[in-house]
Amino acid sequence: PAAPPAAPQRAPPPAAPPAVALAAQPRVAYVPEARRAVIEPEMSDDEGIEYVSGAAVRQVSGGHPGGAPVLGGTLQASAEFVGGPSKGEVSWYRLRGGREEPISGADGLSYTPTADDFELRLRVAFSSVVGGDPVTVDTQPVGADAGFMAELNKQLGSLLGKRSGEASFSVRGGGGEGRVVVLSRDKLKVRKKGRVGSDQTLLKAEFSTGLSLAMDPFDDVRFEVLPEGSEPVDLSADSRRGRDMLVLIARRLSPASGATHARAAAAEEEEGGFMDDRKRGFSDHEEAGAASE
């Protein structure tokens, strides 16, 4: 019999590709994300968190730096607040009869005392909007420099002496017209400013009737004469110093000086006071005619 056919031979499997060595990968160190710095409040074992620290008030111009405040000088308040300066608030007050009297418009770090502050202590309140109670600093009583006091005493001596005289101050009306304020022992007069002998009296008011003066807290020279039962009269002195002198003399002569601030506050609340846009000036008085001497 014939031999069976031979089985077909299988091809050998393909050879495996040569191994390729992988390059070592560098190891990257993990760096955590930087955290924002947090301002931590100072701590006191006795009082807890100090939201306001280092509060102080100093005189930086006028008088003696660091000394008692004076009229026309600049007081500078300073403090550190948790969270930074934007987290702090400052308010200024007069201390009258043991009570705090807020000073209109005084909410910054600097303040210039006026005749409204004369012989009174000032208080500065520092508050943090983050929390905590206000921190207060009181000043010494507000005074004046030696030159101002000498002039004030001279004028008062002349007005209150045996031969009472007059004190005159050049001012401007609400519309910028020239005016003269004349003070005597018992009255205040406002005249048109003109040539000698041609001055015309626009207002004459007795101190005994409750006449008082109020100062504009938002203007260095503006003030109002507040006759009892009449419309306020808007005037401006020639300087901050001149306004302080005029107002202090008038208040020393007027028995109603203690009610000045109450009347001024009431007038501002009722009719807008110094915030009123109207130029009241002397229109009412001029329309009615000039008053007699």
Side-chain angles (χ1 to χ4, degrees), residues 107-204:
D107 56 3
L109 292 176
S110 63
Y111 176 70
T112 300
T114 71
D116 281 344
D117 309 308
F118 190 61
E119 298 181 333
L120 300 178
R121 293 180 182 272
L122 302 179
R123 172 170 293 173
V124 185
F126 302 84
S127 304
S128 170
V129 299
V130 178
D133 296 327
V135 174
T136 61
V137 176
D138 294 354
T139 72
Q140 299 179 48
V142 175
D145 61 65
F148 185 96
M149 289 304 302
E151 178 64 19
L152 177 63
N153 291 328
K154 178 182 177 181
Q155 294 278 15
L156 288 173
S158 173
L159 292 167
L160 300 175
K162 293 182 178 179
R163 296 182 177 179
S164 59
E166 292 183 339
S168 299
F169 296 85
S170 293
V171 297
R172 299 186 308 278
E177 58 276 8
R179 298 287 184 254
V180 178
V181 172
V182 181
L183 300 175
S184 60
R185 182 197 296 262
D186 57 356
K187 66 175 68 70
L188 176 150
K189 293 182 288 188
V190 181
R191 297 171 174 167
K192 286 184 177 180
K193 191 172 184 180
R195 294 172 304 195
V196 176
S198 65
D199 288 353
Q200 189 175 16
T201 300
L202 301 172
L203 172 68
K204 181 172 68 173

Coordinates of all heavy atoms in Angstrom, one line a residue, residues 107-204:
D107 N -16.4 113.6 60.8 CA -16.3 112.1 60.8 C -15.1 111.6 60.2 O -15.0 110.4 59.8 CB -17.6 111.5 60.1 CG -17.7 112.0 58.7 OD1 -16.8 112.8 58.3 OD2 -18.7 111.7 58.0
G108 N -14.0 112.5 60.1 CA -12.8 112.1 59.6 C -11.7 112.0 60.7 O -12.0 112.2 61.9
L109 N -10.5 111.8 60.3 CA -9.4 111.7 61.2 C -8.8 113.1 61.7 O -8.1 113.1 62.7 CB -8.2 110.9 60.6 CG -8.5 109.4 60.4 CD1 -7.3 108.7 59.7 CD2 -8.8 108.7 61.7
S110 N -9.2 114.2 61.0 CA -8.8 115.5 61.5 C -9.9 116.4 61.7 O -11.0 116.3 61.1 CB -7.8 116.1 60.4 OG -8.5 116.3 59.2
Y111 N -9.7 117.4 62.6 CA -10.8 118.4 62.9 C -10.1 119.7 63.4 O -9.1 119.7 64.1 CB -11.7 117.8 64.0 CG -12.8 118.8 64.5 CD1 -13.8 119.1 63.6 CD2 -12.7 119.4 65.7 CE1 -14.8 120.0 64.0 CE2 -13.6 120.3 66.1 CZ -14.7 120.6 65.3 OH -15.6 121.5 65.7
T112 N -10.7 120.8 63.0 CA -10.3 122.1 63.4 C -11.3 122.8 64.4 O -12.4 123.0 63.9 CB -10.0 123.0 62.2 OG1 -9.0 122.4 61.4 CG2 -9.5 124.4 62.6
P113 N -11.0 123.0 65.6 CA -11.9 123.6 66.6 C -12.3 125.0 66.2 O -11.5 125.8 65.6 CB -11.1 123.6 67.9 CG -10.1 122.5 67.7 CD -9.7 122.6 66.3
T114 N -13.6 125.3 66.5 CA -14.1 126.7 66.2 C -14.6 127.3 67.5 O -14.5 126.7 68.6 CB -15.3 126.6 65.2 OG1 -16.4 126.0 65.8 CG2 -14.9 125.7 63.9
A115 N -15.2 128.5 67.3 CA -15.8 129.1 68.5 C -16.9 128.3 69.2 O -17.1 128.5 70.4 CB -16.4 130.5 68.1
D116 N -17.5 127.4 68.5 CA -18.5 126.5 69.1 C -17.9 125.6 70.1 O -18.6 125.0 71.0 CB -19.2 125.7 68.0 CG -20.3 126.4 67.3 OD1 -20.7 127.5 67.8 OD2 -20.7 126.0 66.2
D117 N -16.6 125.3 70.0 CA -15.9 124.4 70.9 C -15.1 125.1 72.0 O -14.5 124.4 72.9 CB -14.8 123.6 70.1 CG -15.5 122.9 68.8 OD1 -16.5 122.3 69.0 OD2 -14.9 123.1 67.7
F118 N -15.1 126.4 72.0 CA -14.3 127.2 72.9 C -14.6 126.8 74.4 O -15.7 126.8 74.8 CB -14.5 128.7 72.7 CG -13.5 129.6 73.5 CD1 -12.1 129.5 73.2 CD2 -13.9 130.5 74.4 CE1 -11.2 130.3 73.9 CE2 -13.0 131.3 75.1 CZ -11.7 131.2 74.8
E119 N -13.5 126.5 75.2 CA -13.6 126.1 76.6 C -14.3 124.8 76.8 O -14.7 124.5 78.0 CB -14.2 127.3 77.4 CG -13.4 128.6 77.3 CD -14.0 129.7 78.2 OE1 -15.3 129.7 78.4 OE2 -13.3 130.6 78.6
L120 N -14.6 124.0 75.8 CA -15.2 122.7 76.0 C -14.2 121.6 75.6 O -13.2 121.8 74.9 CB -16.4 122.6 75.0 CG -17.6 123.5 75.2 CD1 -18.6 123.2 74.2 CD2 -18.2 123.4 76.6
R121 N -14.4 120.5 76.2 CA -13.6 119.3 75.9 C -14.2 118.6 74.6 O -15.4 118.7 74.5 CB -13.5 118.3 77.0 CG -12.7 118.8 78.2 CD -12.7 117.7 79.3 NE -12.0 118.2 80.5 CZ -10.7 118.1 80.7 NH1 -10.0 117.5 79.8 NH2 -10.2 118.6 81.8
L122 N -13.4 118.0 73.8 CA -13.8 117.3 72.7 C -13.6 115.8 72.9 O -12.7 115.4 73.6 CB -13.1 117.7 71.4 CG -13.1 119.2 71.0 CD1 -12.3 119.4 69.8 CD2 -14.6 119.6 70.8
R123 N -14.5 115.0 72.4 CA -14.4 113.5 72.5 C -14.3 112.9 71.1 O -15.2 113.3 70.2 CB -15.5 112.9 73.3 CG -15.6 111.4 73.3 CD -16.6 110.9 74.3 NE -16.1 111.2 75.7 CZ -16.9 111.1 76.8 NH1 -18.1 110.6 76.7 NH2 -16.4 111.4 78.0
V124 N -13.4 112.0 70.9 CA -13.3 111.3 69.6 C -13.7 109.8 69.9 O -13.1 109.2 70.8 CB -11.9 111.4 69.0 CG1 -11.9 110.7 67.6 CG2 -11.5 112.8 68.9
A125 N -14.6 109.3 69.2 CA -15.1 107.9 69.3 C -14.6 107.1 68.1 O -14.9 107.4 67.0 CB -16.6 107.8 69.5
F126 N -13.8 106.0 68.4 CA -13.3 105.1 67.4 C -14.1 103.8 67.4 O -14.2 103.2 68.5 CB -11.8 104.8 67.6 CG -10.9 106.0 67.7 CD1 -10.7 106.7 68.9 CD2 -10.2 106.4 66.6 CE1 -9.9 107.8 68.9 CE2 -9.4 107.5 66.6 CZ -9.2 108.2 67.8
S127 N -14.7 103.4 66.3 CA -15.5 102.2 66.3 C -15.0 101.3 65.2 O -14.6 101.8 64.1 CB -17.0 102.6 66.0 OG -17.5 103.5 67.0
S128 N -15.1 100.0 65.4 CA -14.8 99.0 64.4 C -16.1 98.4 63.9 O -16.9 98.0 64.6 CB -13.9 97.9 65.0 OG -13.7 96.8 64.1
V129 N -16.2 98.3 62.5 CA -17.4 97.7 61.9 C -17.4 96.2 62.1 O -18.4 95.5 61.9 CB -17.5 98.1 60.5 CG1 -17.6 99.6 60.3 CG2 -16.3 97.6 59.7
V130 N -16.2 95.6 62.5 CA -16.1 94.2 62.7 C -16.8 93.8 64.0 O -17.4 92.7 64.1 CB -14.6 93.8 62.7 CG1 -14.5 92.3 62.9 CG2 -14.0 94.2 61.4
G131 N -16.6 94.6 65.0 CA -17.3 94.3 66.3 C -16.6 95.1 67.4 O -15.8 95.9 67.2
G132 N -17.1 94.8 68.6 CA -16.5 95.4 69.8 C -17.2 96.8 70.1 O -17.9 97.3 69.3
D133 N -16.9 97.3 71.3 CA -17.4 98.6 71.7 C -16.5 99.7 71.2 O -15.3 99.5 71.1 CB -17.5 98.6 73.3 CG -18.5 97.6 73.8 OD1 -19.5 97.4 73.1 OD2 -18.3 97.1 74.9
P134 N -17.1 100.9 71.1 CA -16.3 102.1 70.7 C -15.2 102.4 71.7 O -15.4 102.2 72.9 CB -17.3 103.2 70.5 CG -18.6 102.6 70.4 CD -18.5 101.3 71.2
V135 N -14.1 102.9 71.3 CA -13.0 103.4 72.2 C -13.0 104.9 72.1 O -13.0 105.5 71.0 CB -11.7 102.8 71.8 CG1 -10.5 103.5 72.6 CG2 -11.7 101.3 71.9
T136 N -13.1 105.6 73.2 CA -13.1 107.1 73.2 C -11.9 107.7 73.8 O -11.2 107.1 74.7 CB -14.4 107.6 74.0 OG1 -14.3 107.2 75.3 CG2 -15.6 107.1 73.4
V137 N -11.5 108.9 73.3 CA -10.4 109.7 73.8 C -10.9 111.1 73.9 O -11.5 111.7 73.0 CB -9.2 109.6 72.8 CG1 -8.1 110.6 73.3 CG2 -8.7 108.2 72.6
D138 N -10.7 111.7 75.1 CA -11.1 113.1 75.4 C -9.9 114.0 75.3 O -8.8 113.6 75.7 CB -11.8 113.2 76.7 CG -13.1 112.5 76.8 OD1 -13.5 111.9 75.8 OD2 -13.6 112.4 77.9
T139 N -10.1 115.2 74.8 CA -9.1 116.2 74.8 C -9.2 117.1 76.0 O -10.1 117.1 76.8 CB -9.2 117.1 73.5 OG1 -10.3 118.0 73.7 CG2 -9.3 116.3 72.3
Q140 N -8.2 118.0 76.1 CA -8.3 119.1 77.1 C -9.2 120.1 76.6 O -9.6 120.1 75.4 CB -6.9 119.7 77.3 CG -5.8 118.7 77.9 CD -4.5 119.3 78.0 OE1 -4.4 120.4 78.6 NE2 -3.4 118.7 77.5
P141 N -9.7 121.1 77.4 CA -10.6 122.1 76.9 C -9.9 122.9 75.8 O -8.7 123.2 75.9 CB -10.8 123.0 78.2 CG -10.6 122.1 79.3 CD -9.5 121.1 78.9
V142 N -10.7 123.3 74.8 CA -10.2 124.1 73.7 C -10.0 125.5 74.1 O -10.8 126.2 74.8 CB -11.2 124.1 72.5 CG1 -10.8 125.0 71.4 CG2 -11.5 122.6 72.1
G143 N -8.8 126.0 73.8 CA -8.4 127.4 74.1 C -8.1 128.2 72.9 O -8.7 127.9 71.8
A144 N -7.3 129.2 73.0 CA -6.9 130.0 71.9 C -5.5 130.5 72.1 O -5.0 130.5 73.2 CB -7.8 131.2 71.7
D145 N -4.8 130.9 71.0 CA -3.4 131.4 71.2 C -3.4 132.7 71.9 O -4.4 133.4 72.0 CB -2.7 131.5 69.8 CG -3.4 132.4 68.9 OD1 -3.4 133.7 69.2 OD2 -4.0 132.0 67.8
A146 N -2.2 133.1 72.4 CA -2.1 134.3 73.2 C -2.5 135.6 72.5 O -3.2 136.4 73.0 CB -0.6 134.5 73.6
G147 N -2.3 135.7 71.2 CA -2.7 136.9 70.4 C -4.2 137.0 70.3 O -4.7 138.1 70.4
F148 N -4.8 135.9 70.1 CA -6.3 135.9 70.0 C -6.9 136.3 71.3 O -7.9 137.1 71.4 CB -6.8 134.5 69.6 CG -8.3 134.4 69.3 CD1 -8.8 134.5 68.0 CD2 -9.2 134.2 70.3 CE1 -10.2 134.5 67.8 CE2 -10.5 134.1 70.1 CZ -11.0 134.3 68.8
M149 N -6.4 135.7 72.4 CA -7.0 136.0 73.7 C -6.8 137.5 74.1 O -7.6 138.1 74.7 CB -6.4 135.1 74.8 CG -6.8 133.6 74.7 SD -8.6 133.4 74.8 CE -9.0 134.2 76.4
A150 N -5.6 138.0 73.7 CA -5.4 139.4 74.0 C -6.4 140.3 73.3 O -6.9 141.3 73.9 CB -3.9 139.8 73.6
E151 N -6.6 140.0 72.0 CA -7.6 140.8 71.3 C -9.0 140.6 71.8 O -9.8 141.6 71.9 CB -7.5 140.4 69.8 CG -8.5 141.1 68.9 CD -8.2 142.6 68.8 OE1 -7.1 143.1 69.1 OE2 -9.1 143.4 68.4
L152 N -9.4 139.4 72.2 CA -10.7 139.2 72.7 C -10.9 139.9 74.0 O -12.0 140.6 74.2 CB -10.9 137.7 72.9 CG -12.2 137.2 73.6 CD1 -13.4 137.6 72.6 CD2 -12.2 135.7 73.9
N153 N -10.0 139.9 74.9 CA -10.1 140.6 76.2 C -10.1 142.1 76.0 O -10.8 142.8 76.7 CB -9.0 140.2 77.1 CG -9.1 138.7 77.6 OD1 -10.2 138.2 77.7 ND2 -8.0 138.1 77.8
K154 N -9.4 142.6 75.0 CA -9.4 144.0 74.7 C -10.7 144.5 74.2 O -11.2 145.5 74.7 CB -8.3 144.3 73.7 CG -8.2 145.8 73.3 CD -7.1 146.0 72.2 CE -7.1 147.5 71.7 NZ -6.1 147.7 70.7
Q155 N -11.3 143.7 73.3 CA -12.6 144.1 72.7 C -13.7 144.0 73.8 O -14.5 144.9 73.9 CB -13.0 143.1 71.6 CG -12.1 143.2 70.4 CD -12.5 144.4 69.5 OE1 -13.2 145.3 69.8 NE2 -11.9 144.4 68.2
L156 N -13.7 143.0 74.6 CA -14.7 142.9 75.7 C -14.5 144.0 76.7 O -15.5 144.5 77.3 CB -14.6 141.5 76.3 CG -15.1 140.3 75.5 CD1 -14.8 139.0 76.2 CD2 -16.6 140.5 75.2
G157 N -13.3 144.3 77.0 CA -13.0 145.4 78.0 C -13.6 146.7 77.5 O -14.1 147.5 78.3
S158 N -13.4 147.0 76.2 CA -14.0 148.2 75.6 C -15.5 148.2 75.6 O -16.1 149.3 75.9 CB -13.4 148.4 74.2 OG -14.0 149.5 73.6
L159 N -16.1 147.1 75.3 CA -17.5 147.0 75.3 C -18.2 147.0 76.6 O -19.3 147.5 76.8 CB -18.0 145.7 74.5 CG -17.6 145.7 73.0 CD1 -17.8 144.3 72.4 CD2 -18.5 146.7 72.2
L160 N -17.6 146.5 77.6 CA -18.2 146.3 78.9 C -17.6 147.3 80.0 O -18.0 147.3 81.1 CB -17.9 144.9 79.4 CG -18.5 143.8 78.6 CD1 -18.2 142.4 79.1 CD2 -20.1 143.9 78.5
G161 N -16.7 148.2 79.5 CA -16.2 149.2 80.4 C -17.1 150.3 80.8 O -18.3 150.3 80.3
K162 N -16.7 151.2 81.6 CA -17.5 152.4 82.0 C -18.0 153.2 80.8 O -19.1 153.6 80.7 CB -16.8 153.2 83.0 CG -16.5 152.6 84.3 CD -15.8 153.5 85.3 CE -15.6 152.9 86.6 NZ -14.9 153.8 87.6
R163 N -17.1 153.3 79.8 CA -17.4 154.0 78.6 C -17.6 153.0 77.5 O -16.6 152.7 76.8 CB -16.3 155.0 78.2 CG -16.2 156.2 79.2 CD -15.2 157.2 78.7 NE -15.1 158.3 79.6 CZ -14.2 159.3 79.4 NH1 -13.4 159.3 78.4 NH2 -14.2 160.3 80.3
S164 N -18.7 152.4 77.4 CA -18.9 151.3 76.5 C -18.8 151.8 75.1 O -19.3 152.8 74.7 CB -20.3 150.7 76.7 OG -21.3 151.6 76.5
G165 N -18.0 151.0 74.3 CA -17.8 151.4 72.9 C -18.5 150.4 71.9 O -19.5 149.8 72.3
E166 N -17.9 150.3 70.7 CA -18.5 149.5 69.7 C -17.3 148.7 69.1 O -16.2 149.1 69.0 CB -19.2 150.2 68.6 CG -20.5 150.9 69.1 CD -21.2 151.6 68.0 OE1 -20.6 151.9 67.0 OE2 -22.4 151.8 68.1
A167 N -17.6 147.5 68.6 CA -16.7 146.7 67.8 C -17.3 146.4 66.5 O -18.4 146.0 66.4 CB -16.4 145.4 68.5
S168 N -16.6 146.7 65.4 CA -17.1 146.6 64.0 C -16.3 145.5 63.3 O -15.1 145.4 63.4 CB -17.0 147.9 63.3 OG -17.7 148.9 63.9
F169 N -17.0 144.7 62.5 CA -16.4 143.7 61.7 C -17.0 143.7 60.3 O -18.2 143.8 60.0 CB -16.8 142.3 62.3 CG -16.3 142.0 63.7 CD1 -17.0 142.5 64.8 CD2 -15.1 141.4 63.8 CE1 -16.5 142.3 66.1 CE2 -14.6 141.1 65.1 CZ -15.3 141.6 66.2
S170 N -16.1 143.7 59.3 CA -16.5 143.7 57.9 C -16.9 142.2 57.5 O -16.1 141.3 57.8 CB -15.3 144.1 57.0 OG -15.0 145.5 57.2
V171 N -18.0 142.1 57.0 CA -18.6 140.8 56.6 C -19.2 140.9 55.2 O -19.2 142.0 54.6 CB -19.6 140.3 57.6 CG1 -19.0 140.1 58.9 CG2 -20.8 141.2 57.7
R172 N -19.7 139.8 54.7 CA -20.4 139.8 53.4 C -21.8 139.2 53.6 O -22.0 138.3 54.5 CB -19.7 139.0 52.4 CG -18.3 139.5 52.0 CD -17.7 138.7 50.9 NE -17.7 137.3 51.1 CZ -16.8 136.6 51.8 NH1 -15.8 137.3 52.4 NH2 -16.9 135.3 51.9
G173 N -22.8 139.7 52.9 CA -24.1 139.1 52.9 C -24.2 137.8 52.1 O -23.2 137.3 51.5
G174 N -25.4 137.2 52.1 CA -25.6 135.9 51.4 C -25.3 136.0 50.0 O -24.9 135.0 49.4
G175 N -25.4 137.2 49.3 CA -25.1 137.3 47.9 C -23.8 137.9 47.6 O -23.5 138.3 46.5
G176 N -22.9 138.0 48.7 CA -21.6 138.6 48.5 C -21.5 140.0 48.7 O -20.4 140.6 48.5
E177 N -22.6 140.7 49.0 CA -22.6 142.2 49.2 C -21.9 142.6 50.5 O -21.9 141.8 51.4 CB -24.0 142.8 49.1 CG -24.9 142.2 50.2 CD -25.6 140.9 49.8 OE1 -25.2 140.3 48.8 OE2 -26.4 140.4 50.6
G178 N -21.2 143.8 50.4 CA -20.5 144.2 51.6 C -21.4 144.6 52.8 O -22.4 145.3 52.6
R179 N -21.1 144.2 54.0 CA -21.9 144.4 55.1 C -20.9 144.7 56.3 O -19.7 144.4 56.3 CB -22.8 143.2 55.5 CG -23.8 142.9 54.4 CD -24.9 143.9 54.4 NE -26.0 143.6 53.5 CZ -26.1 144.2 52.3 NH1 -25.3 145.1 51.9 NH2 -27.1 143.9 51.5
V180 N -21.4 145.3 57.4 CA -20.7 145.6 58.6 C -21.5 145.2 59.8 O -22.7 145.6 59.9 CB -20.3 147.1 58.7 CG1 -19.6 147.4 60.0 CG2 -19.5 147.6 57.5
V181 N -20.9 144.4 60.6 CA -21.6 144.0 61.9 C -21.0 144.9 63.0 O -19.8 144.9 63.2 CB -21.4 142.5 62.2 CG1 -21.9 142.2 63.6 CG2 -22.1 141.6 61.2
V182 N -21.9 145.5 63.7 CA -21.5 146.4 64.8 C -22.0 145.9 66.1 O -23.2 145.7 66.3 CB -22.0 147.9 64.6 CG1 -21.5 148.8 65.7 CG2 -21.5 148.4 63.3
L183 N -21.1 145.6 67.0 CA -21.5 145.1 68.4 C -21.3 146.1 69.4 O -20.3 146.8 69.4 CB -20.6 143.8 68.7 CG -20.7 142.6 67.8 CD1 -19.7 141.6 68.2 CD2 -22.1 142.1 67.7
S184 N -22.3 146.3 70.3 CA -22.2 147.1 71.4 C -22.6 146.3 72.7 O -23.0 145.1 72.5 CB -23.1 148.4 71.3 OG -24.5 148.0 71.1
R185 N -22.7 147.0 73.8 CA -23.0 146.2 75.0 C -24.3 145.5 75.0 O -24.4 144.4 75.5 CB -23.0 147.2 76.2 CG -23.2 146.6 77.6 CD -23.6 147.6 78.6 NE -22.5 148.6 78.8 CZ -21.7 148.5 79.9 NH1 -21.8 147.5 80.7 NH2 -20.8 149.4 80.0
D186 N -25.3 146.1 74.4 CA -26.6 145.5 74.5 C -27.3 145.2 73.1 O -28.4 144.7 73.1 CB -27.6 146.4 75.2 CG -27.6 147.8 74.6 OD1 -26.9 148.0 73.6 OD2 -28.4 148.7 75.1
K187 N -26.6 145.4 72.0 CA -27.3 145.1 70.8 C -26.3 144.7 69.7 O -25.0 145.0 69.8 CB -28.1 146.3 70.3 CG -27.3 147.6 70.0 CD -28.1 148.7 69.4 CE -29.1 149.3 70.4 NZ -28.3 150.0 71.5
L188 N -26.8 144.2 68.6 CA -26.1 143.9 67.4 C -26.8 144.6 66.2 O -28.0 144.5 66.1 CB -26.0 142.4 67.2 CG -25.3 141.9 65.9 CD1 -24.7 140.5 66.1 CD2 -26.3 141.8 64.7
K189 N -26.0 145.2 65.4 CA -26.5 145.9 64.2 C -25.8 145.4 62.9 O -24.6 145.1 63.0 CB -26.4 147.4 64.3 CG -27.3 148.0 65.4 CD -27.1 149.5 65.4 CE -25.8 150.0 66.0 NZ -25.8 151.5 66.2
V190 N -26.5 145.3 61.8 CA -25.9 145.0 60.5 C -26.2 146.1 59.6 O -27.4 146.5 59.5 CB -26.5 143.7 60.0 CG1 -25.8 143.3 58.7 CG2 -26.3 142.5 61.0
R191 N -25.2 146.7 59.0 CA -25.4 147.8 58.1 C -24.8 147.5 56.7 O -24.0 146.6 56.5 CB -24.6 149.0 58.6 CG -25.0 149.5 60.0 CD -24.1 150.6 60.5 NE -24.5 151.2 61.7 CZ -23.7 152.0 62.5 NH1 -22.5 152.2 62.1 NH2 -24.2 152.5 63.6
K192 N -25.4 148.2 55.7 CA -24.8 148.2 54.4 C -23.4 148.8 54.5 O -23.2 149.8 55.2 CB -25.7 148.9 53.4 CG -26.9 148.2 53.0 CD -27.7 149.0 52.0 CE -28.9 148.3 51.5 NZ -29.6 149.1 50.5
K193 N -22.5 148.3 53.7 CA -21.1 148.9 53.7 C -21.1 149.9 52.6 O -21.4 149.6 51.5 CB -20.1 147.8 53.5 CG -18.7 148.2 53.7 CD -17.8 147.0 53.7 CE -16.3 147.4 54.0 NZ -15.4 146.2 53.9
G194 N -20.7 151.1 53.0 CA -20.6 152.2 52.0 C -19.7 153.3 52.5 O -18.9 153.1 53.4
R195 N -19.8 154.5 51.9 CA -19.0 155.6 52.3 C -19.4 156.0 53.7 O -20.5 155.8 54.2 CB -19.1 156.7 51.3 CG -18.6 156.4 49.9 CD -18.9 157.5 49.0 NE -20.4 157.8 48.9 CZ -21.0 158.4 48.0 NH1 -20.3 158.9 47.0 NH2 -22.3 158.6 48.0
V196 N -18.4 156.7 54.4 CA -18.7 157.2 55.7 C -19.9 158.1 55.7 O -20.1 159.0 54.9 CB -17.5 158.0 56.3 CG1 -17.8 158.6 57.6 CG2 -16.3 157.1 56.3
G197 N -20.8 157.8 56.6 CA -22.1 158.6 56.7 C -23.2 158.1 55.9 O -24.3 158.6 56.0
S198 N -22.9 157.1 55.0 CA -24.0 156.6 54.1 C -24.4 155.2 54.5 O -25.2 154.6 53.8 CB -23.5 156.7 52.7 OG -22.4 155.8 52.5
D199 N -23.8 154.6 55.6 CA -24.1 153.3 56.0 C -25.6 153.2 56.4 O -26.1 154.1 57.0 CB -23.3 152.8 57.2 CG -21.8 152.5 56.8 OD1 -21.5 152.5 55.5 OD2 -21.0 152.2 57.7
Q200 N -26.2 152.2 56.0 CA -27.7 152.1 56.2 C -27.9 150.8 57.1 O -27.5 149.7 56.7 CB -28.4 152.0 54.9 CG -29.9 152.0 55.1 CD -30.6 152.1 53.7 OE1 -30.0 151.7 52.7 NE2 -31.9 152.4 53.7
T201 N -28.6 150.9 58.2 CA -28.8 149.8 59.1 C -29.9 148.9 58.5 O -31.0 149.3 58.2 CB -29.3 150.3 60.5 OG1 -28.2 151.1 61.0 CG2 -29.5 149.2 61.4
L202 N -29.6 147.6 58.4 CA -30.5 146.6 57.9 C -31.1 145.8 59.0 O -32.2 145.3 58.8 CB -29.8 145.7 56.9 CG -29.1 146.4 55.7 CD1 -28.3 145.4 54.9 CD2 -30.2 147.0 54.8
L203 N -30.4 145.7 60.1 CA -30.9 144.9 61.2 C -30.4 145.5 62.5 O -29.2 145.8 62.6 CB -30.4 143.4 61.1 CG -30.7 142.5 62.3 CD1 -32.2 142.3 62.4 CD2 -30.0 141.2 62.1
K204 N -31.3 145.6 63.5 CA -30.9 146.0 64.8 C -31.6 145.1 65.8 O -32.8 145.1 65.8 CB -31.2 147.5 65.1 CG -30.7 147.9 66.5 CD -30.8 149.4 66.6 CE -32.3 149.9 66.6 NZ -32.4 151.3 67.0

